[in-house]
Amino acid sequence: VGVARSQDYPTPDQLHSALQDLATQNPDILTLETLARSREGRAITAVTLALAGKTPPASRQAVLVVAGLEASLLHTSFVALAMLREVARRKGEPELRALLESHVVYLVPQVNPDGAARCFAKPRRESPLNPRPRDDDRDARIDEDGPEGIDLDGEILQMRVPDPEGPLVVDGADPRLLRSHTPADAGSARFRRIEEGADSDGDGLVNEDPPGGVDVARNFPHELEARAAGSGPHAASEPESKALIDFLLAHPNIQAALTYGAHDNVIHPPPPRDGPPEKRGEHRLWKKDAELHAA
């Protein structure tokens, strides 16, 4: 099975153009709305899927689908775009038309377009972060020691560095691999694995202050990990996360949300925080149904 590279997926600009084309070709079911602009000025777009019906879309039950929270997971936005194209292709089917006349699907195909754009830069480096400047090593300089393409192959991957106290040794079955050191490996050369790069600022550390940023998926109020790497200075500090929160607050008709990303919130629904016992019971049934579906 081949591994998909960034060039197999649309860039943020290509994705935006594809959404505009779909909206132009299918004005009866698909409308676009710009929620906000990213730090680098890219549109964060929401799509509304609905047909004219007895009640306006804002008064119908709705589902929110979100993709592209983790910028490096380019396939999530690709899946969201494919879903929109499939709905447009099948919009004449009576069952689908009835659904879109009585319900609404809101979709945000790429929450972190700036981070996604960095996956297409050369040399290519995958990162879930947006480009918010950050002084990671607290030396009063910002983003001055990030990854570099040492072998000039166009990609920033990982490299092994000799370290007498490193946790890894070369795998005897395949020298391309490293495995954890065990007592039986006494006397073997040991390594640590780091992101490809060099000590650009001469402080003895490698890649300790890369460009950006904040992991938008971790920048929401619910269970925010304060001061954790990538969580941001405070909840909703980023235009991307704030745009999504504002959209949710403006659409109380949203009954459920589905995320395409690192964590599948349908198969593994979040546990209830509070509420009456009957609601907690609904969660247990939902989780059981999800487990059965997965099996």
Side-chain angles (χ1 to χ4, degrees), residues 62-66 106 244 248 254-260 264-266 269-270 286:
V63 172
L64 172 66
V65 180
V66 178
Y106 300 118
L244 194 55
L248 280 163
I254 293 175
Q255 304 294 305
L258 168 64
T259 56
Y260 294 163
D264 189 326
N265 70 318
V266 173
W286 180 26

Side-chain angles (χ1 to χ4, degrees), residues 156-288:
I156 294 174
L157 302 174
Q158 292 187 324
M159 62 184 188
R160 61 181 68 174
V161 178
D163 184 342
E165 298 181 355
L168 304 171
V169 296
V170 175
D171 190 305
D174 189 339
R176 297 173 300 175
L177 304 178
L178 296 176
R179 60 170 175 78
S180 297
H181 174 269
T182 67
D185 298 312
S188 299
R190 295 170 66 168
F191 302 87
R192 56 190 171 93
R193 185 170 53 227
I194 63 173
E195 195 171 27
E196 186 177 353
D199 179 13
S200 301
D201 56 359
D203 63 357
L205 301 174
V206 177
N207 297 4
E208 82 283 356
D209 196 356
V214 173
D215 184 346
V216 176
R218 302 175 61 186
N219 189 236
F220 294 91
H222 179 68
E223 295 186 351
L224 176 72
E225 299 178 73
R227 295 182 292 278
S231 63
H234 58 79
S237 63
E238 306 311 297
E240 301 91 348
S241 53
K242 186 176 186 302
L244 194 55
I245 291 171
D246 289 344
F247 184 78
L248 280 163
L249 293 175
H251 294 79
N253 58 322
I254 293 175
Q255 304 294 305
L258 168 64
T259 56
Y260 294 163
H263 305 282
D264 189 326
N265 70 318
V266 173
I267 299 301
H268 302 289
R273 301 287 292 179
D274 48 31
E278 60 270 19
K279 292 296 182 182
R280 295 196 290 272
E282 285 178 7
H283 172 266
R284 285 194 294 271
L285 290 174
W286 180 26
K287 183 176 182 180
K288 189 64 177 178

